[in-house]
Amino acid sequence: LVTVRYVLYKKQKNKKRKMLNKLQNSPIARGFTLTILGSGLSKLIIIILTFYCTNRLTKSEFGEYSLLRNTLNMVLCVCALNFSSLCTKFTVEIKTSLDSYYRLLILTAFSLSVCTLLGFFLILLPSNFLESVIGTSNLNSYVKIIGLLLPALMFQPLIEGILKGLMEFKTVGVLQIISSLFFLVSTIVGIHLNGLNGAIVSMLLYYSFYTLISLYTIWKTKPDIQLHFEKSKFKENLPVLSSMIIPVFVMSFIEAPVLWISQLMLAHYSSTEAVSSMTIILQIKNFTILIPSYFFSTFMAFAGKMSVKKEYPSYFNKFSRLIRLFAIYGVSVAIIISMMGNLILSLYGKSYVSDNTGLILSNISIPLLVLIGLIKIDLIIQEHQKQLLYISIGWNIIWLILFFVALEYKAMPLHAFFGTQFIGILFQFSLFWTIYNNDRNRL
């Protein structure tokens, strides 16, 4: 019996060692590890920064700060952020198709043009109009500064997508950590010197600094292949505007502004303090889907390679295993965060503990959001950009209408925000799942 047990023990040990070696040698596992070490640490720094802001600023001041930052994120999302995954896709495909090189150039030119036009629009907006929309005159000058910086800031998310396509996951992580540390230090100094205004100035400096170091990094990065510009090839690939780029742009132009409009509705029917609570709850929810999102950004490049090589059995087998894994993850995390809600909210300050019900309503959508992030990879790779656009329009309209109706019927604004959002997310997931299954049956 001792001999048999020893043999079984050695076999189990050798099996574990082989599995560990396989994981260590896996490009996906290596890329994911580098991403989570870099990006995860940078997000942890941002969360620490939020703790500092919520404890040093009043709830109303943090609401104004959040409203401005969410406005900037909304504008960047419309003009560049949602193009990051397309940049990854095109960069991965460049080695097998030079058409993707021209598609990447067209995408960059389109994003720069949109940012420039939108920047001018923000600069020229009348101050009284801005005040009527935002609800305060304190942020008018900062909105105009955002318009001035916008054509430059759009490069950062595009460059990050390109670096991921080049498998430079370590570089992306280092850039995120450096910029986050800069953000933390500058915000502490800014709040100490000038309160809310100092925090806003440090935020604008952070986005500018992040863009500068990203531009420097891509300038120093040398691709493995020699690329030359041909005007005729550029023109041949212009149809990518209507088939892929513009649908993603219009989708961004719907989703980001709808979230922003819903925040304005929240402030109108309640106060900027409600915006502050909503921002905190969204940060907690976004943190729970952080690790999956890092994996998805890594997996995007490898899934794209499998699709290019038409290795569809392996491609969909990986998706099936990941769907089961992340469904379990999403449900488990939602339950744990809900049970620890009061403790987590107390870290932001005592005034946020009363928002626990809103947090629970927000957590219900975590499993769906995790699976949406995974399945969306297939939809992007298989070039379902138009379907993504139609789904985006549909679920956002449903959410906004339901939210408005709930507010009109005197529902608690924060609870209405997350409750109606869940219904919209459920609609989105149902359509994503249908298209994914059609792809699996077809391919």
Side-chain angles (χ1 to χ4, degrees):
L1 285 173
V2 171
T3 304
V4 170
R5 286 175 181 173
Y6 178 75
V7 171
L8 290 174
Y9 167 76
K10 293 293 290 184
K11 284 184 177 181
Q12 189 70 16
K13 192 173 181 180
N14 289 333
K15 187 178 180 181
K16 287 181 179 179
R17 186 184 294 112
K18 287 179 181 178
M19 288 179 64
L20 184 61
N21 290 335
K22 188 176 180 181
L23 280 173
Q24 289 174 339
N25 295 325
S26 167
I28 297 179
R30 192 162 52 249
F32 174 54
T33 303
L34 290 172
T35 302
I36 197 171
L37 287 175
S39 301
L41 183 57
S42 71
K43 291 298 184 295
L44 182 61
I45 293 170
I46 297 296
I47 289 173
I48 293 171
L49 172 62
T50 306
F51 290 157
Y52 179 81
C53 289
T54 54
N55 284 281
R56 288 299 303 271
L57 300 173
T58 66
K59 199 170 184 180
S60 178
E61 286 177 333
F62 184 71
E64 289 187 22
Y65 173 82
S66 299
L67 190 57
L68 185 68
R69 189 177 178 195
N70 293 339
T71 300
L72 176 55
N73 285 335
M74 180 270 292
V75 174
L76 281 176
C77 187
V78 169
C79 302
L81 196 59
N82 273 10
F83 289 139
S84 182
S85 57
L86 273 183
C87 286
T88 301
K89 171 181 166 62
F90 293 152
T91 304
V92 167
E93 294 173 348
I94 282 176
K95 288 187 178 181
T96 55
S97 172
L98 282 177
D99 285 343
S100 293
Y101 165 63
Y102 293 98
R103 290 180 172 189
L104 187 59
L105 291 179
I106 293 167
L107 173 60
T108 305
F110 178 82
S111 182
L112 180 59
S113 301
V114 171
C115 282
T116 302
L117 290 172
L118 190 53
F120 274 119
F121 175 75
L122 291 176
I123 292 171
L124 297 175
L125 277 178
S127 297
N128 57 348
F129 176 78
L130 275 174
E131 184 177 351
S132 64
V133 172
I134 298 176
T136 175
S137 60
N138 299 338
L139 305 178
N140 288 356
S141 58
Y142 295 118
V143 171
K144 294 183 182 298
I145 293 173
I146 288 173
L148 186 65
L149 295 174
L150 193 57
L153 298 183
M154 53 75 59
F155 283 104
Q156 184 275 317
L158 299 186
I159 291 170
E160 189 168 301
I162 292 170
L163 289 173
K164 287 177 181 177
L166 295 171
M167 309 296 175
E168 294 287 344
F169 301 109
K170 181 179 179 181
T171 303
V172 172
V174 170
L175 290 176
Q176 290 177 337
I177 291 172
I178 292 172
S179 60
S180 298
L181 286 172
F182 175 85
F183 194 14
L184 176 63
V185 174
S186 63
T187 301
I188 292 173
V189 174
I191 290 178
H192 177 73
L193 293 177
N194 199 18
L196 174 61
N197 288 322
I200 293 174
V201 170
S202 71
M203 176 185 69
L204 297 175
L205 288 175
Y206 156 71
Y207 282 99
S208 301
F209 176 75
Y210 200 175
T211 300
L212 287 174
I213 60 174
S214 297
L215 286 168
Y216 176 77
T217 301
I218 200 68
W219 177 64
K220 296 290 288 185
T221 302
K222 305 297 181 185
D224 295 334
I225 54 175
Q226 295 296 321
L227 300 170
H228 303 285
F229 179 79
E230 294 181 20
K231 190 175 180 180
S232 59
K233 294 288 290 181
F234 185 86
K235 289 182 178 179
E236 283 178 18
N237 283 279
L238 282 175
V240 75
L241 279 169
S242 59
S243 64
M244 298 178 70
I245 295 174
I246 291 178
V248 171
F249 169 71
V250 176
M251 181 171 62
S252 305
F253 206 82
I254 294 166
E255 290 187 352
V258 164
L259 180 59
W260 185 68
I261 290 168
S262 67
Q263 293 173 39
L264 293 180
M265 291 168 63
L266 194 61
H268 176 73
Y269 281 89
S270 183
S271 64
T272 54
E273 291 187 0
V275 176
S276 181
S277 299
M278 179 274 301
T279 302
I280 293 302
I281 293 173
L282 278 182
Q283 185 183 74
I284 295 170
K285 180 162 67 176
N286 291 338
F287 181 72
T288 63
I289 61 177
L290 202 59
I291 294 176
S293 68
Y294 290 153
F295 178 83
F296 300 154
S297 65
T298 306
F299 181 60
M300 174 83 180
F302 296 98
K305 278 190 173 182
M306 284 187 283
S307 180
V308 167
K309 295 178 181 179
K310 300 188 183 302
E311 298 172 351
Y312 293 122
S314 176
Y315 174 90
F316 284 107
N317 281 337
K318 286 188 181 296
F319 268 101
S320 296
R321 289 198 297 270
L322 290 172
I323 286 170
R324 290 193 293 270
L325 175 66
F326 284 110
I328 295 170
Y329 169 86
V331 172
S332 303
V333 167
I335 293 172
I336 293 170
I337 297 298
S338 296
M339 293 174 64
M340 299 177 61
N342 286 334
L343 176 62
I344 295 171
L345 290 169
S346 67
L347 297 174
Y348 293 93
K350 293 180 180 179
S351 58
Y352 293 95
V353 176
S354 59
D355 300 322
N356 191 38
T357 303
L359 177 63
I360 293 172
L361 287 171
S362 171
N363 292 340
I364 296 172
S365 63
I366 289 175
L368 295 180
L369 288 172
V370 171
L371 293 178
I372 284 171
L374 175 60
I375 296 170
K376 192 174 182 179
I377 294 173
D378 170 71
L379 271 62
I380 292 172
I381 290 173
Q382 303 306 328
E383 301 187 358
H384 292 301
Q385 276 72 22
K386 287 186 178 179
Q387 288 89 334
L388 285 170
L389 170 60
Y390 301 146
I391 293 170
S392 175
I393 294 172
W395 89 262
N396 278 284
I397 288 176
I398 289 172
W399 174 32
L400 210 57
I401 291 174
L402 290 176
F403 184 39
F404 175 75
V405 171
L407 291 173
E408 284 294 310
Y409 277 89
K410 309 300 180 184
M412 291 188 66
L414 193 64
H415 299 171
F417 181 93
F418 290 109
T420 55
Q421 187 185 55
F422 168 75
I423 297 173
I425 290 171
L426 180 61
F427 174 78
Q428 180 189 21
F429 172 77
S430 301
L431 295 179
F432 272 35
W433 184 253
T434 301
I435 296 173
Y436 166 77
N437 276 313
N438 288 340
D439 280 344
R440 187 172 57 180
N441 295 330
R442 175 172 57 87
L443 298 172

